[in-house]
């Protein structure tokens, strides 16, 4: 199923697929189309691994429904919202929330370890929160690839997010972003409008 990708998505997908890193961080501003970009990576991963599987982790149940809709409507891929250690007939993987990950890390670890697995985690800063980070470290360790998505580039000096590469500077620890699509890029692509500040009498 061919998908019409935006310019940045068309650049990002082969960059991720060809990356030597098991864990890959994409920082793209909200509304840029991260789910479509990730969906194309999922489609290509499954094409490379016919017996592969995918785990998608999102912050909320609402976002879980959104992702399921995009994966089904755009890519023809069905994801099981009911956690299982195996891929059930008719599905290509699982989709859950970070809360579900925290409560079911053993089941998810068995799923991830059951075959070549791509883990996609949206708004990955949530994995910096205690138990969810520990659950992710346990459950995702045997994944073939990990694609982490962030709505905005961020600095996180206190609680480390598992698997991400870090560089140190004078201000502390900074995560390494493998691909960045920021406001300036979106402005150049005419995806967003320029910010203007108007003065008024008063």
């Amino acid at each position: 199923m061919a998908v019409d990708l935006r310019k940045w998505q068309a650049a990002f997908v082969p960059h991720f697929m060809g990356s030597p890193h098991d864990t890959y961080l994409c920082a793209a501003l909200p509304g840029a189309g991260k789910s479509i970009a990730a969906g194309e990576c999922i489609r290509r991963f499954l094409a490379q691994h016919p017996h592969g599987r995918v785990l998608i982790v999102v912050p909320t149940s609402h976002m879980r429904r959104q992702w399921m809709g995009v994966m089904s409507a755009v890519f023809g891929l069905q994801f099981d919202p009911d956690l299982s250690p195996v891929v059930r007939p008719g599905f290509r993987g699982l989709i859950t929330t970070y809360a579900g990950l925290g409560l079911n890390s053993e089941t998810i670890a068995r799923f991830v370890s059951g075959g070549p697995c791509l883990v996609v985690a949206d708004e990955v800063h949530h994995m910096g929160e205690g138990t969810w980070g520990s659950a992710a470290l346990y459950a995702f360790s045997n994944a073939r690839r990990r694609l982490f998505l962030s709505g905005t580039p961020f600095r996180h000096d206190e609680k480390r997010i598992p698997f991400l590469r870090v560089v140190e500077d004078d201000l502390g620890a900074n995560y390494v972003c493998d691909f960045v699509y920021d406001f300036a890029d979106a402005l150049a692509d005419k995806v967003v409008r320029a910010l203007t500040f108007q003065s008024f009498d008063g």
Side-chain angles (χ1 to χ4, degrees):
M1 183 180 294
V3 178
D4 187 18
L5 298 176
R6 296 178 183 176
K7 180 181 176 181
W8 84 264
Q9 295 166 333
F12 156 73
V13 171
H15 192 267
F16 166 74
M17 298 302 296
S19 172
H21 301 293
D22 295 337
T23 301
Y24 185 106
L25 175 60
C26 172
L29 80 165
K34 292 188 294 297
S35 57
I36 296 293
E40 180 62 15
C41 293
I42 290 170
R43 187 190 67 78
R44 295 192 187 192
F45 178 85
L46 291 173
Q48 289 181 353
H49 305 280
H51 300 291
R53 53 188 58 197
V54 177
L55 170 70
I56 301 173
V57 186
V58 298
T60 66
S61 294
H62 175 69
M63 291 182 67
R64 180 174 60 183
R65 290 190 294 272
Q66 285 184 325
W67 272 80
M68 289 174 66
V70 169
M71 293 301 106
S72 176
V74 179
F75 298 97
L77 300 172
Q78 305 299 323
F79 284 84
D80 192 349
D82 296 325
L83 296 180
S84 167
V86 298
V87 180
R88 299 196 302 179
F91 298 106
R92 294 311 306 266
L94 303 179
I95 183 165
T96 189
T97 62
Y98 287 101
L101 167 66
L103 293 172
N104 301 278
S105 60
E106 179 66 38
T107 297
I108 292 173
R110 289 170 59 196
F111 174 85
V112 170
S113 300
C117 185
L118 168 62
V119 172
V120 178
D122 194 12
E123 301 299 343
V124 72
H125 59 271
H126 289 286
M127 279 169 36
E129 300 177 13
T131 57
W132 294 353
S134 299
L137 187 60
Y138 172 69
F140 301 167
S141 291
N142 290 328
R144 179 70 57 90
R145 299 290 306 276
R146 289 174 288 269
L147 172 57
F148 291 167
L149 307 172
S150 173
T152 54
F154 52 86
R155 178 182 296 275
H156 205 290
D157 296 320
E158 297 178 2
K159 298 178 181 177
R160 285 286 301 274
I161 297 174
F163 303 109
L164 291 183
R165 306 189 310 282
V166 175
V167 292
E168 300 283 344
D169 59 25
D170 294 339
L171 298 177
N174 210 23
Y175 292 114
V176 176
C177 292
D178 297 281
F179 193 97
V180 176
Y181 184 76
D182 59 17
F183 184 84
D185 297 320
L187 188 63
D189 291 341
K190 298 182 179 180
V191 173
V192 296
R193 294 183 180 183
L195 292 174
T196 60
F197 298 90
Q198 300 181 0
S199 61
F200 294 90
D201 293 336

